Amino acid sequence: MHIIKKIFAFPRIIYFLIPIIIISLVFTNFPSNGVEISSIKFIGEATLPKGLIFQKTEVGGLSGITYNAKNNLYYAISDDRGQKAAVRFYTLKIDLSKGSLQKGGIIPVSVTTLLNENGQTFRPGETDTEGIALTNKRTVFISSEGDAAKLINPFIKEFSLSSGKEIFTLPIPNKFLPDKTNQQGIRNNLAFESLTITPDNKHLFTASENALIQDGVAAKPNIGSPCRILQYNLLNNQPEKEFLYQTEPVTPFLNLIGKFASGLPDLLALDNQGHFLSLERSFTGLGFAISLFQVSLEGADDIHNINSLLAIDSKNIKPVKKKLLLDLRKLDVLLDNIEGLTLGPKLLDGQQSLILISDNNFNSLQRTQILAFKIKIENSLIRLLRRFLSNFNL
């Protein structure tokens, strides 16, 4: 009997290996081999001093952040419209060397002033810079919401990382541009806050923070808003696709002051197959509601040929898929106005770090807040193999 068991031991290993080999071969060439975040853990908070003056500028309004893995530095864009200092971004060090973020773990390194195509600073009020994304050629793309009330168009421009000078401007589809009739385009201060580039540097994504005027209502208490994700092909620098992203309805809590705002301030590309993290932020009258979602473009309809969602039966449009990853109100942290996110370095245990940053609106009652997380990212093959192994008994 013992000999028989030995005889059948080898084939049993073969039966175990064959499915793994087949799955590996299939998924290696499978186009939708995307990623998913299987866990997230909060690993610390740090804030910058209120009213911090650095290199003759007030540090604040940090609305977007991106990470340079080569030198372990972060670039954070300020949404100062040139009223406190010239339009600029900051280079920061964020210390995660101990596997967590400690108080005092944020160090400003430098300030880079943005210059237009003529090498001059932007005029006060000309920009509302909100998003920033690093390329693989020592440049950054930066998005501006413009000013719809003054018919100042939003923009997405590429700047030199070293000099801050404008290099190139991406064309904006006409449907996003405000007009004199106030019948189309972005809403004021609800435009291109988000900006992200895929790891292969072939595509750039941004999104309207709320619905375009011709697409639906802006977010209200208990009512979400239909945003548009805009995809650019960076091989030809042209917009090519758009997708519907529906923000979640948020219920205000003790809203005694009557103010409410909610929307989509940032996106983060996780892979080249249309998988993202999205950040939804709401001011509810009593603090902020911040949520992280996993997002997939898989199966979503391309709506770039639809100029107005209100002019059609939009119920037939398939939006992007969303899955709640974390409601930050469940953390034991007083949340500020979180508007930006980026992946950071790998931590000591090999897992991926995630950084969130707040815009303090240059308000003495608010803070520039950095939140750090540890996330576990798995691709489709790893998830399938893990499930297979969990059900297999040798």
Side-chain angles (χ1 to χ4, degrees):
M1 192 69 176
H2 183 67
I3 296 175
I4 294 176
K5 286 183 178 180
K6 281 189 174 182
I7 292 173
F8 282 94
F10 181 72
R12 196 173 181 189
I13 294 174
I14 294 295
Y15 299 148
F16 170 71
L17 291 176
I18 287 176
I20 294 179
I21 294 171
I22 293 174
I23 292 171
S24 300
L25 291 174
V26 170
F27 273 80
T28 299
N29 300 298
F30 194 57
S32 62
N33 184 20
V35 301
E36 182 178 296
I37 294 175
S38 58
S39 68
I40 181 168
K41 180 182 179 182
F42 179 59
I43 57 170
E45 171 198 18
T47 60
L48 289 175
K50 292 184 179 181
L52 175 63
I53 302 298
F54 180 73
Q55 295 185 1
K56 299 181 180 180
T57 69
E58 182 177 348
V59 181
L62 304 185
S63 299
I65 188 168
T66 189
Y67 177 62
N68 189 333
K70 289 183 178 179
N71 52 19
N72 194 26
L73 292 174
Y74 298 79
Y75 309 113
I77 185 69
S78 173
D79 67 1
D80 179 10
R81 301 188 182 199
Q83 296 164 339
K84 292 183 175 292
V87 181
R88 61 202 180 276
F89 69 84
Y90 292 89
T91 300
L92 306 173
K93 285 185 178 179
I94 300 176
D95 185 6
L96 299 177
S97 60
K98 297 180 180 179
S100 63
L101 178 60
Q102 307 291 323
K103 292 181 179 180
I106 315 169
I107 303 173
V109 175
S110 63
V111 182
T112 303
T113 299
L114 297 183
L115 306 174
N116 63 20
E117 58 186 353
N118 298 317
Q120 300 173 335
T121 58
F122 289 89
R123 298 188 304 272
E126 186 179 0
T127 69
D128 182 12
T129 47
E130 298 279 0
I132 184 168
L134 179 70
T135 74
N136 61 353
K137 51 184 180 178
R138 293 193 56 76
T139 64
V140 287
F141 277 97
I142 291 173
S143 62
S144 168
E145 291 192 292
D147 190 328
K150 297 179 181 178
L151 296 180
I152 297 175
N153 289 335
F155 69 63
I156 303 170
K157 294 178 182 288
E158 186 178 12
F159 295 88
S160 166
L161 193 57
S162 57
S163 69
K165 186 177 179 181
E166 178 183 333
I167 298 172
F168 186 80
T169 300
L170 294 177
I172 306 293
N174 187 64
K175 67 170 74 72
F176 290 89
L177 304 181
D179 67 2
K180 294 180 181 180
T181 66
N182 199 34
Q183 298 298 308
Q184 78 151 37
I186 56 165
R187 288 180 159 89
N188 203 42
N189 207 33
L190 293 172
F192 297 151
E193 284 228 10
S194 57
L195 205 62
T196 188
I197 296 175
T198 53
D200 62 8
N201 274 264
K202 292 182 180 180
H203 292 95
L204 176 145
F205 292 83
T206 186
S208 58
E209 188 180 358
N210 266 210
L212 303 182
I213 292 174
Q214 70 270 26
D215 281 345
V217 299
K220 299 178 181 179
N222 302 305
I223 299 175
S225 187
C227 307
R228 284 188 189 239
I229 293 177
L230 174 56
Q231 173 182 324
Y232 282 87
N233 185 333
L234 292 181
L235 300 180
N236 59 17
N237 292 320
Q238 293 298 312
E240 58 181 7
K241 294 181 181 180
E242 295 170 23
F243 305 94
L244 174 61
Y245 179 107
Q246 184 72 41
T247 66
E248 297 301 302
V250 175
T251 302
F253 179 69
L254 292 178
N255 193 350
L256 302 178
I257 61 176
K259 291 185 178 181
F260 179 85
S262 186
L264 172 63
D266 213 356
L267 288 169
L268 176 62
L270 296 173
D271 59 19
N272 305 316
Q273 284 80 38
H275 296 89
F276 303 83
L277 276 181
S278 71
L279 179 66
E280 293 191 24
R281 177 275 324 270
S282 302
F283 177 71
T284 64
L286 187 65
F288 294 92
I290 313 292
S291 295
L292 283 171
F293 292 86
Q294 298 189 60
V295 176
S296 173
L297 302 184
E298 186 177 356
D301 290 329
D302 178 6
I303 59 172
H304 82 277
N305 285 325
I306 301 174
N307 289 322
S308 169
L309 295 179
L310 292 176
I312 65 168
D313 186 1
S314 60
K315 293 180 181 179
N316 295 324
I317 294 176
K318 293 181 181 177
V320 301
K321 298 175 184 176
K322 292 171 56 184
K323 176 184 175 183
L324 180 64
L325 179 65
L326 178 66
D327 182 343
L328 273 67
R329 289 175 294 185
K330 296 181 179 180
L331 302 177
D332 187 20
V333 173
L334 179 61
L335 297 173
D336 210 286
N337 182 33
I338 301 293
E339 289 194 355
L341 77 165
T342 187
L343 296 178
K346 292 289 182 65
L347 300 171
L348 294 175
D349 61 3
Q351 292 195 36
Q352 177 67 58
S353 64
L354 174 70
I355 294 292
L356 276 61
I357 194 167
S358 76
D359 172 4
N360 69 351
N361 293 308
F362 296 97
N363 186 329
S364 61
L365 299 177
Q366 294 181 247
R367 304 162 295 154
T368 296
Q369 179 184 48
I370 302 283
L371 302 178
F373 298 85
K374 177 167 64 174
I375 59 176
K376 186 174 183 180
I377 302 178
E378 295 181 327
N379 62 31
S380 302
L381 174 59
I382 296 299
R383 292 198 304 274
L384 190 58
L385 287 177
R386 179 164 51 80
R387 291 167 188 165
F388 174 77
L389 291 173
S390 67
N391 294 320
F392 190 91
N393 293 314
L394 284 173

